[in-house]
Amino acid sequence: MQRNHLAAESELIVYADGPKSTADEPLVTELRNYLKQINGFKRLTVIERPENFGLARNIIAGVTKTLHKHDAAIVVEDDLITSPWFLTYMNDGLTRYAGCHEVASIHGYVYPVKQQLPEAFFIKGADCWGWATWKRAWKCFEPNGPLLLNKLQKSNLTYEFDFNGAYPYTPMLKDQIAGKNDSWAIRWYASAFLNNMITLYPGKSLVHNIGNDASGTHSAAVSTYDTEVFQGYIDVETEVTHNFEAFSVIADFLRSLQQPQPAVAKKKNWLHKLFNR
């Protein structure tokens, strides 16, 4: 992020979670000491959690608190590498679509599909790997998983929610309800989806996730979602509507991941990382 063109003009707020156990305390202390030395930004604020919030609670509380003070926020987790043009794209999107109340968020990652996508496009719902939103959109976030599932089922929307049956997002939501995952992102996606809101994506990814090396809490080692980070400028201007062609391309990609193949067990476990946030 320090190498982004707008880093020096950006306020960086870091929410540092507390240790899970006493054994983690030295590592957490080391990390917090490092965080306080970060430079290259307009302003740095490090908020140290007094206890272990866990990923979902930390993200939800952090975004909510930040948007109490600011009209918009860009959210980047610690396992994401961004293009130098990431902040430019995010800020351009936040400015251009601030008044479009059907737009839920701006997203920086896009799947490594083989087909060429538009330079920028919208898809119904919301996403979680390098994203931004506004105070007015975050108000639609519903943390109650059972309520979200009930609305999806009563409106017969689970097939569409699952990218026309291409990916098991509904089972992920059910797992969140059952306590099998602690995903904030599946609830963010469902909240935006149920409000018929859309998210802007770049045609070439401005984000690469390095957390798929089995070192993270929610992942196994796999390269399925690896992308080459685009090093150029993305024009955010596009039609403000769900792009059915781009949706179909992504649905085909997600569907291909469900096909039997070598090491499928590991791959399926890692796939849950996408929304186990």
Side-chain angles (χ1 to χ4, degrees), residues 174-239:
K174 290 180 178 178
D175 283 350
Q176 186 276 321
I177 295 168
K180 296 179 180 179
N181 70 56
D182 188 28
S183 175
W184 64 269
I186 191 65
R187 289 174 282 170
W188 174 223
Y189 168 42
S191 298
F193 180 92
L194 286 165
N195 280 278
N196 289 311
M197 299 178 81
I198 53 180
T199 284
L200 182 75
Y201 289 81
K204 297 178 180 178
S205 191
L206 298 172
V207 172
H208 170 59
N209 190 311
I210 61 171
N212 55 354
D213 59 356
S215 64
T217 302
H218 300 291
S219 66
V222 72
S223 59
T224 309
Y225 285 93
D226 284 1
T227 54
E228 182 177 344
V229 176
F230 182 57
Q231 299 296 308
Y233 172 79
I234 298 284
D235 185 353
V236 301
E237 190 66 41
T238 189
E239 186 177 2

Side-chain angles (χ1 to χ4, degrees), residues 37-49:
Q37 300 172 27
I38 292 176
N39 54 34
F41 295 89
K42 181 179 180 180
R43 187 182 300 109
L44 170 65
T45 302
V46 178
I47 298 173
E48 300 178 354
R49 301 297 194 195

Side-chain angles (χ1 to χ4, degrees), residues 20-92:
K20 288 185 178 179
S21 66
T22 54
D24 295 327
E25 289 177 2
L27 290 174
V28 170
T29 299
E30 181 181 354
L31 173 61
R32 290 178 173 181
N33 289 335
Y34 163 76
L35 291 173
K36 294 171 185 176
Q37 300 172 27
I38 292 176
N39 54 34
F41 295 89
K42 181 179 180 180
R43 187 182 300 109
L44 170 65
T45 302
V46 178
I47 298 173
E48 300 178 354
R49 301 297 194 195
E51 61 188 80
N52 184 259
F53 276 35
L55 183 57
R57 182 184 171 196
N58 199 26
I59 290 286
I60 294 169
V63 174
T64 301
K65 181 175 181 178
T66 301
L67 290 174
H68 274 314
K69 298 181 179 180
H70 303 276
D71 290 330
I74 300 169
V75 186
V76 182
E77 294 180 39
D78 59 3
D79 55 2
L80 302 180
I81 292 177
T82 66
S83 163
W85 291 94
F86 172 79
L87 287 177
T88 302
Y89 163 79
M90 286 289 167
N91 280 281
D92 285 353

Side-chain angles (χ1 to χ4, degrees), residues 103-269:
V103 178
S105 64
I106 314 297
H107 198 246
Y109 173 86
V110 72
Y111 303 94
V113 300
K114 295 179 180 179
Q115 302 92 325
Q116 183 173 347
L117 292 166
E119 184 166 1
F121 58 92
F122 283 99
I123 285 183
K124 186 177 177 180
D127 224 319
C128 61
W129 281 3
W131 58 287
T133 193
W134 304 264
K135 181 183 299 185
R136 54 108 178 136
W138 187 246
K139 288 178 180 178
C140 86
F141 175 71
E142 174 53 68
N144 188 321
L147 179 62
L148 292 167
L149 179 62
N150 182 58
K151 288 182 177 180
L152 288 167
Q153 292 175 331
K154 287 186 67 175
S155 300
N156 294 316
L157 289 172
T158 56
Y159 179 76
E160 182 186 352
F161 183 68
D162 291 347
F163 266 67
N164 289 351
Y167 193 82
Y169 289 121
T170 300
M172 284 187 185
L173 180 57
K174 290 180 178 178
D175 283 350
Q176 186 276 321
I177 295 168
K180 296 179 180 179
N181 70 56
D182 188 28
S183 175
W184 64 269
I186 191 65
R187 289 174 282 170
W188 174 223
Y189 168 42
S191 298
F193 180 92
L194 286 165
N195 280 278
N196 289 311
M197 299 178 81
I198 53 180
T199 284
L200 182 75
Y201 289 81
K204 297 178 180 178
S205 191
L206 298 172
V207 172
H208 170 59
N209 190 311
I210 61 171
N212 55 354
D213 59 356
S215 64
T217 302
H218 300 291
S219 66
V222 72
S223 59
T224 309
Y225 285 93
D226 284 1
T227 54
E228 182 177 344
V229 176
F230 182 57
Q231 299 296 308
Y233 172 79
I234 298 284
D235 185 353
V236 301
E237 190 66 41
T238 189
E239 186 177 2
V240 187
T241 187
H242 174 78
N243 189 312
F244 286 95
E245 291 184 5
F247 174 85
S248 179
V249 168
I250 291 173
D252 287 343
F253 172 78
L254 294 174
R255 190 174 290 108
S256 73
L257 300 180
Q258 306 305 308
Q259 304 305 313
Q261 50 191 290
V264 68
K266 275 190 175 182
K267 190 164 291 186
K268 283 187 176 179
N269 284 337

Side-chain angles (χ1 to χ4, degrees), residues 10-27:
S10 303
E11 178 180 358
L12 178 63
I13 304 171
V14 181
Y15 290 90
D17 205 2
K20 288 185 178 179
S21 66
T22 54
D24 295 327
E25 289 177 2
L27 290 174

